[in-house]
Amino acid sequence: MINDKLPKIWYGGDYNPEQWGPEEWSEDDRMFKLAGIDVATINVFAWALLQPDEETYDFSTLDATMDRLYNNGVYVCLGTSTAAHPAWMAKKYPDVTRVDVQGRKRKFGGRHNSCPNSPTYRKYSALIAGKLAERYKDHPALLIWHVSNEYGGYCYCDNCAKAFRVWLKKRYNTIENLNKAWNTRFWGHTFYEWDEVVQPSELSEEWDGNRTNFQGISLDYRRFMSDSLLECYKLEHDEIRKHTPNIPITTNLMGTYPELDYFKWGKEMDVVSWDNYPSLDTPISFTAMSHDLMRGLRSGQPFMLMEQTPSQQNWQAYNSLKRPGVMRLWSYQAVARGADTVMFFQLRRSAGACEKYHGAVIEHVGHEHTRVFRECAELGRELQQLSDKLIDARTQAKVAIVYDWENRWATELSSGPTVALKYVDEVHKYYDALFNLNIEADMVSVEEDFSKYDLVIAPVMYMVKPGFAKKAENFVSKGGTFITTFFSGIVNENDIVTLGGYPGELRSLLGIWAEEIDALFPDQKNRIVMKQPWGELQGEYDCGLLCDLIHSEGAEVLAEYGDDFYQGMPVLTKNQFGSGQAYYVASSPEKSFLQGFLSNLCAEKGIKPLVSAGEGVESARRVKNGNAYLFLLNHNASPAEVQIGEAEQKDLLTNETVKGTVTVPARGVMILESAYQS
C-alpha cells in the first residue's frame, strides 16, 4: 500500500486554507468529518507565503495547518509549493521565467512559468523542498510528498539552448554523429560546432504546433524538455529523500498529456498519481484507457487518483455538471482500474481568480446542504466500508497494448502522409474494441516484458526503437500473437527511414512488404473484403485514413481491399512465425471490424470476457490474496442486466450474494467478490 498509516482507499483532495481564515477553517474541519475526508493535499502553490524574500522562510502558517488537520483526523499529502515561483524571484532573477516557442520572454504571472533549466529555479526549488522535508519529516500527519504540480510546457531561452547542446553531446558524443542522426545534409543543415545548434522554435524550424522542417531536431527537443522537467522533479525528490527515506514521493501526471514521456517519469515516482478530467462527451473507454495507461507506467502497480472534480471544471469550453451519480460512478471507475485513492480538486471552492467556478466538495454557499456534498459524503461512507480489501489489488490482463510517447511525437511530427493521423486515436480504437468486448487490457511501454501476455497490440508502430523488433519476434516465436498496423516500421529512433522497404525491421516478422501508402480524404473510404468468413468476421467493412499497399512475402492474406486501383491487394494478413502469429492491419477499420477481429483472436487464445453485458456497461477486475473483485459500472441512465456466471459472488456495497444475471442500477456500481480463477 502507499503508506500503511492509512490502510484504506484514501479520500480527500486539494485544500488551500491560505485562501481563507479561521472561521472557514473551523467549518472545514467539521465538514471534512461529515464527508469522510481523511487526506488533504496542501501547500501546492504556497511558495510565496513560505518564502517572502530570498533569505526568509516562514513556516508558521503551514505548521498550524499540519497540526490542525491531524488533530481533526485528516492526514496530509504535502506539496513542495514549487509549481509557481514567487514574484520577487522573477523580479530579481529574470532567468527564472520562460521564453515561448515564438521567442517571447515571459513576465511573472500564471503558473508553470519557471524555466526548467534556470539555475535560479533549480537552486531555490531544491532548497525549499529540503527545508520542508527536514521540518516535517517526523510529523504524524505526513503521508506522502507531492512535488510541484502538473509538470508541463516547454522553454526556448538561452539557458535551455545551452543545456540542449550539453544533452546532445551526451546522446551523440560527436558533432559528426549528430549530423548523421539528423540527416543534416538535407537543406544544407550541416553543423560544424555545437554552438551552431539552435532550438527548433518558430524562429527556426517549427510552426503551427507539430509542424517542423527537421523531425530529428524537433523530436530530440521534446526528449530534452521532458528530461529537463524530470530533472527538476528529481532535484526536489532527492532533497526530500535525504530527510524522509520512507515517505513515498509523487507528482501528478495528466493521462495522455503529449509533452512528457511518462514512462520515463514513472520510473522515478514511488507511486504514480494523475488528474482525471474527462468532459461530458469523452468516451467512457477513453477514460478507462487513461487509467490503464497510468497503471502501466509502473508495470501494473496501483496508482493515485490525485484530482477529479466533484461537479464541474472551469477550463473546458463547456463545463457541464456531473449528473447525479456520475461522480460516484467515475470514482469507482478509477478504483476498478487500479486507483488506491479517490481525491478531488478542490475541497473548498476558491472565491477568486480562474478556478472560482471549478467544482468543490464545499461550495460557495459554505454549508453541507448541497447535492454535491451529499454525494461526496455518501461515497466517503462507502470507501470506509470497503476498508483495506482493495488496497494494492492488481489487474491480471492477458492482452497488452503498446503505447510510446516518443513514437507519438515522431508520428505527429511527420510531414505526411496525412494531417488526420492521431496516434492516441488509433491506439484508442483497439482499446475501445476490447473494452466493449469486456476483455481486460494493460497499457504498456516498449520496454515491458511481453512474456506475461498472450496477445500484444502495437498500433501505428511508426518508430521502431533498437531491440523492439527482436523482442517482438521472440514473443511471437514462443507462441504469442502480435498485431500491428499501417504506418508501422517506417523509421528508427532518430526518425530516419529504415531503407529496404516498409515495414523495415518488422518485415520478417510480418511476412509482408508495403510498397506505397495512400492517404484518403476525410470523406473517402475503402473496403476490407474478407476472403472467407472467419469467426465473427465475414463480408466487408469500411476502412479509411491511410491504406498501405502491401505484398505478401509468406503471410496468409485474410482480406483484400475492395476499391480503387489497389482493389484485390492485401489489407489483413497473418504470418506464422515460430509457434505464434503476427497480424498486419493495413488500414484504419471501422469499429465492428476491430471488435470481430479481436474477438476472434481472444477466443483462439482462450482469453474470456469478464462478463456478458450490453453497451454502456463497463467491467474491470482487480485481484488480491486469491480473491477477485469484479467491478460492474453502468454508465447508462437506465438499469442494465449483466450476466456474471453461475458462481456465487458477494456484493461488497450491499453484502448481498448474487449469481447468474444481475441488474446494475442506472449510473450504478457493483463490486463483486469471489475466489480468483485465472
Side-chain angles (χ1 to χ4, degrees), residues 341-566:
T341 72
V342 174
M343 299 171 72
F344 300 108
F345 183 88
Q346 48 193 329
L347 295 187
R348 179 181 278 274
R349 190 181 282 219
S350 301
C354 65
E355 289 177 337
K356 63 181 177 292
Y357 298 124
H358 194 292
V361 176
I362 303 172
E363 297 282 1
H364 284 147
V365 71
H367 58 59
E368 66 269 34
H369 306 297
T370 66
R371 174 184 71 89
V372 171
F373 188 90
R374 286 192 295 271
E375 289 194 21
C376 289
E378 178 57 34
L379 179 58
R381 283 190 288 272
E382 288 185 351
L383 294 178
Q384 189 68 45
Q385 172 187 331
L386 291 173
S387 186
D388 65 347
K389 276 186 176 289
L390 298 172
I391 295 295
D392 205 37
R394 306 297 174 108
T395 298
Q396 302 289 337
K398 301 307 291 180
V399 181
I401 299 178
V402 177
Y403 189 98
D404 183 43
W405 265 271
E406 293 188 358
N407 182 49
R408 176 182 180 178
W409 294 334
T411 299
E412 295 180 4
L413 284 167
S414 175
S415 55
T418 174
V419 70
L421 176 58
K422 305 298 180 188
Y423 175 72
V424 176
D425 290 350
E426 294 307 309
V427 172
H428 176 241
K429 287 177 183 178
Y430 282 80
Y431 182 94
D432 180 69
L434 292 166
F435 179 92
N436 287 299
L437 292 168
N438 292 292
I439 291 172
E440 298 170 288
D442 284 343
M443 302 291 294
V444 303
S445 77
V446 294
E447 297 177 357
E448 191 63 65
D449 176 10
F450 289 172
S451 68
K452 299 184 292 185
Y453 303 101
D454 295 330
L455 173 61
V456 172
I457 308 169
V460 191
M461 206 65 195
Y462 170 71
M463 173 191 288
V464 176
K465 293 180 177 178
F468 180 82
K470 291 298 180 185
K471 179 177 181 175
E473 288 177 357
N474 185 56
F475 168 71
V476 175
S477 68
K478 294 180 179 179
T481 297
F482 179 80
I483 304 169
T484 192
T485 73
F486 63 93
F487 209 49
S488 290
I490 309 293
V491 300
N492 67 9
E493 74 276 16
N494 296 316
D495 203 53
I496 300 298
V497 171
T498 301
L499 301 179
Y502 316 139
E505 292 184 61
L506 300 176
R507 189 168 170 180
S508 175
L509 173 63
L510 296 166
I512 59 151
W513 165 47
E515 181 178 359
E516 297 181 89
I517 305 170
D518 190 21
L520 275 57
F521 278 71
D523 60 348
Q524 288 182 297
K525 298 289 182 187
N526 207 306
R527 289 180 296 135
I528 297 172
V529 181
M530 298 300 299
K531 293 191 72 175
Q532 58 187 23
W534 172 34
E536 298 290 325
L537 287 181
Q538 47 190 307
E540 59 184 56
Y541 303 85
D542 285 343
C543 62
L545 186 67
L546 290 176
C547 296
D548 282 2
L549 278 57
I550 64 175
H551 305 275
S552 172
E553 294 182 323
E556 179 185 356
V557 178
L558 302 179
E560 299 172 339
Y561 287 111
D563 298 309
D564 218 315
F565 73 93
Y566 41 93

Side-chain angles (χ1 to χ4, degrees), residues 45 189 203 315 351 364 413 500 577 588 654:
F45 290 103
H189 267 50
L203 301 180
W315 47 267
H364 284 147
L413 284 167
F577 191 92
S588 185
T654 65

Side-chain angles (χ1 to χ4, degrees), residues 310-330:
S311 54
Q312 66 187 151
Q313 281 115 233
N314 69 290
W315 47 267
Q316 293 181 348
Y318 304 98
N319 294 294
S320 306
L321 290 172
K322 287 182 176 176
R323 270 43 189 172
V326 169
M327 180 279 294
R328 174 179 180 263
L329 178 65
W330 288 4

